[in-house]
Amino acid sequence: MHTMLTLFDFSTSLAALLASVVLLAYIYPNRCIGTVDRPDLPGPRGLPLIGNLLLVFQNRNGMLKFLDNMEATYGPLFTFTLPSLGRNIVINRPEWLEHMRKGDTTIYAKGKVVRDVFSQFAGSTTPISTDGSAWKDARRLVQPIFAAKAVNTHASKAMCEIVPTVKTLLRAACHQNVVVDWKDLSGRLALGIFCKMAFDVSTDMLTTELSCLKLTNVLSDTLTTLGVITADRLFNPAWRITERFDGTRSRFDAAKARLSAIVDDLIRDRSHPGGFDAEESTDYLTALLASTAEQDLSSTRDTLMTLFFAGRDSTQNVILWALYELTRSPGWIALMREEVVSRPPKGAEGIITFGELQAPRVQNYPIHLAVFFETLRLWPGLPKNARLATEDDVLPAIPEKGLPAVRVNKGDFLLWSDMAMMRNEDVWGPDAKEFNPRRHLGEDGRFVKPDTPRFHSFGSGPRACPAMQLMTYEFTAIFAGLLCDFDFIPVHPGVRKSIDALAPFMDGPFMVEVHDRVVQ
């Protein structure tokens, strides 16, 4: 009798469960559970209860291509739903992005799901993983390294040390007929400059000996691993589960441990038993440790991890893709060389100083600036992003484009792809997909800074990237220092694609022949 009652109870519970599932499937026939039906928005039809989970999961390692394909089908406005993320509305128009950015940090935030992902890397107290007052505190902590005074003092010093080293290295490659992986070299350049300017630390990633290029760049490889896995997690609601079956979790943990060890070594080497003397060293790390000496160092570790990521990814990305684009448009290389010859750098070792680039009312290097911004237009440092609506809102109609006002409900995610938007012919003209720095030059040859958010590589609004002037200087000093001395010829010319990470790094190495340039 007891067994029969148990079986009856089990059958009753199972029937109730199935009835609940059927009822929920009826309520949510084409979207994930908990989302509001939006027949006013185009997009791929989802499955009952789980929405577009299977479609997005299949494309989680290639979300840029997925978003491009969806835009080709549905236009700049479309939607899909996912468990945990709910309703995602893609808004690939600068007008809508401008509206959203005005409410960034107030009615729009990163949201818990995104914060949880970025709390794993770079950390829970960093600008990329916080909202509200916590974000303001984290932003204030990193701001000094990007200030004009710091760039002028420390970045200029780093350039005068590292660019000549790279010249000697490239000359050796030329004379010994050794091809160079520009992707690897640009990563070493970015990290070497950053470590010198931020921490006053010289690394062995770049020396005058070609043998340095045969050594594994552990720090760069570690950052790449963390960036790729983090990007994959953003569109995988079950990443905590799936990563345990394919080894991703163990790879992430190992990479995180390596980066933590590097950061801890930096902190330990810079620590002084007697406290910090502000007059002894003025580099960013010393000042940071001095300001947090009496506090828990966890936020300092998070900050340094963030800076390693930001200092490497953005700079490497633009140096890498710029040479790729320039070798396909050699006329611009000639113009950049002419510009340097007509305006010889005044810094030590023949390196451009930050002051030369920022001289008021004087544009010393407009061609370099145009090439820099055009590279970032095609290859933005953060090619896709998202914000969570914390209250109801309405995006304005764009009648000249035939686009209606868009209702945004509290809890909706707004997504956009800077890469798609800045390659859109309807936004940038018929040559939007072409590398054409001339679009950033006026009739008088002066550089014209592109307007935001149409140009969105540095973001806009409260969360705009503070590193623009640092990156601009690094780019100009590097190419002005190298292009006049060397020719670079790709070993395998042709169209290259990017990998889908936090930054759009080139897929595979970019091998180049290096030749001494003979000036007639």
Side-chain angles (χ1 to χ4, degrees):
M1 183 68 177
H2 176 72
T3 301
M4 291 180 63
L5 288 174
T6 301
L7 289 174
F8 177 78
D9 290 342
F10 174 77
S11 299
T12 302
S13 299
L14 181 60
L17 176 61
L18 290 174
S20 297
V21 170
V22 171
L23 177 61
L24 288 173
Y26 176 78
I27 297 173
Y28 302 100
N30 58 358
R31 62 191 190 276
C32 75
I33 188 169
T35 57
V36 177
D37 191 21
R38 293 297 301 271
D40 56 315
L41 298 177
R45 181 181 177 84
L47 296 173
L49 306 182
I50 63 172
N52 303 103
L53 174 62
L54 297 183
L55 176 65
V56 174
F57 185 80
Q58 292 170 359
N59 291 278
R60 70 190 186 283
N61 298 324
M63 284 302 296
L64 281 174
K65 183 177 180 180
F66 170 76
L67 294 174
D68 284 346
N69 291 339
M70 291 294 102
E71 182 168 357
T73 302
Y74 300 106
L77 172 70
F78 58 92
T79 186
F80 57 89
T81 64
L82 287 174
S84 79
L85 286 174
R87 181 165 296 284
N88 296 259
I89 304 175
V90 177
I91 54 165
N92 281 343
R93 285 296 310 184
E95 297 90 342
W96 288 331
L97 192 55
E98 182 177 27
H99 174 89
M100 188 281 299
R101 281 301 202 182
K102 290 178 180 178
D104 210 352
T105 74
T106 53
I107 68 172
Y108 289 100
K110 289 187 177 291
K112 184 179 183 303
V113 173
V114 175
R115 290 199 304 270
D116 285 347
V117 171
F118 282 113
S119 67
Q120 302 292 310
F121 173 69
S124 59
T125 61
T126 66
I128 60 176
S129 59
T130 50
D131 285 316
S133 59
W135 171 78
K136 292 181 180 178
D137 291 340
R139 178 68 172 257
R140 194 177 302 117
L141 207 57
V142 302
Q143 191 74 33
I145 197 170
F146 301 116
K149 182 179 179 181
V151 176
N152 187 40
T153 302
H154 302 301
S156 294
K157 179 182 177 182
M159 287 297 177
C160 290
E161 176 181 314
I162 293 174
V163 173
T165 297
V166 175
K167 282 187 176 184
T168 303
L169 183 70
L170 292 175
R171 193 156 283 116
C174 171
H175 295 165
Q176 297 178 38
N177 294 318
V178 174
V179 295
V180 173
D181 180 0
W182 183 257
K183 178 181 175 180
D184 175 63
L185 182 62
S186 62
R188 294 172 188 268
L189 248 175
L191 281 172
I193 292 168
F194 182 77
C195 288
K196 186 63 181 178
M197 69 163 287
F199 313 134
D200 196 21
V201 171
S202 298
T203 72
D204 60 358
M205 286 182 286
L206 274 176
T207 69
T208 58
E209 300 295 329
L210 283 174
S211 57
C212 75
L213 300 180
K214 297 180 181 180
L215 300 176
T216 301
N217 190 343
V218 175
L219 179 54
S220 187
D221 290 349
T222 297
L223 291 168
T224 297
T225 298
L226 292 171
V228 170
I229 294 175
T230 298
D232 291 350
R233 287 174 173 178
L234 290 170
F235 292 96
N236 179 8
W239 63 267
R240 294 181 186 276
I241 298 173
T242 59
E243 286 185 2
R244 296 188 181 279
F245 293 96
D246 61 8
T248 300
R249 182 71 198 195
S250 59
R251 289 193 298 114
F252 180 88
D253 288 345
K256 180 75 175 288
R258 288 195 299 272
L259 183 58
S260 296
I262 292 171
V263 168
D264 287 344
D265 285 345
L266 273 173
I267 293 174
R268 183 171 52 253
D269 291 345
R270 190 55 54 86
S271 299
H272 302 290
F276 301 96
D277 183 357
E279 298 298 324
E280 182 176 333
S281 177
T282 58
D283 67 83
Y284 173 78
L285 178 56
T286 298
L288 176 64
L289 291 174
S291 67
T292 59
E294 303 300 324
Q295 304 172 11
D296 182 358
L297 288 177
S298 62
S299 63
T300 302
R301 293 188 181 93
D302 286 354
T303 299
L304 295 182
M305 287 188 184
T306 301
L307 289 173
F308 269 125
F309 159 66
R312 194 283 301 255
D313 280 30
S314 298
T315 303
Q316 180 182 7
N317 178 66
V318 70
I319 296 172
L320 170 60
W321 287 110
L323 187 66
Y324 163 73
E325 295 290 357
L326 288 168
T327 55
R328 303 175 74 209
S329 303
W332 286 100
I333 295 180
L335 291 174
M336 293 170 77
R337 286 168 173 163
E338 290 173 9
E339 186 169 74
V340 175
V341 171
S342 65
R343 303 169 176 84
K346 300 176 181 178
E349 302 289 343
I351 305 301
I352 292 174
T353 66
F354 180 70
E356 291 177 80
L357 193 63
Q358 297 294 315
R361 296 184 299 279
V362 176
Q363 286 197 354
N364 286 324
Y365 301 97
I367 301 296
H368 283 70
L369 294 177
V371 171
F372 172 73
F373 274 85
E374 181 68 354
T375 302
L376 284 176
R377 184 186 70 82
L378 290 173
W379 306 101
L382 290 175
K384 58 184 182 296
N385 215 325
R387 290 291 183 270
L388 174 72
T390 60
E391 58 184 73
D392 294 345
D393 192 20
V394 177
L395 304 179
I398 312 175
E400 62 272 22
K401 300 298 179 183
L403 296 170
V406 181
R407 173 168 51 89
V408 179
N409 296 323
K410 179 180 178 180
D412 288 346
F413 268 98
L414 296 187
L415 274 66
W416 69 92
S417 167
D418 284 342
M419 184 174 285
M421 198 166 59
M422 291 193 289
R423 292 170 177 236
N424 190 325
E425 295 177 358
D426 196 41
V427 176
W428 279 91
D431 64 344
K433 293 179 173 61
E434 300 174 13
F435 178 75
N436 179 18
R438 196 168 300 281
R439 73 180 80 243
H440 307 297
L441 297 171
E443 293 183 0
D444 58 356
R446 292 176 63 84
F447 169 69
V448 180
K449 185 177 178 181
D451 58 300
T452 59
R454 194 170 71 105
F455 179 89
H456 204 250
S457 289
F458 293 105
S460 59
R463 289 187 186 263
C465 176
M468 182 176 69
Q469 59 184 358
L470 171 60
M471 285 180 59
T472 306
Y473 170 62
E474 289 178 318
F475 175 91
T476 306
I478 288 169
F479 278 98
L482 299 182
L483 287 182
C484 287
D485 288 3
F486 303 101
D487 285 316
F488 299 93
I489 302 175
V491 175
H492 302 291
V495 176
R496 304 302 298 271
K497 297 181 179 180
S498 63
I499 62 174
D500 204 343
L502 295 179
F505 290 125
M506 187 179 290
D507 188 8
F510 184 45
M511 308 304 297
V512 295
E513 298 176 1
V514 184
H515 299 276
D516 271 328
R517 183 167 171 265
V518 178
V519 181
Q520 299 297 327

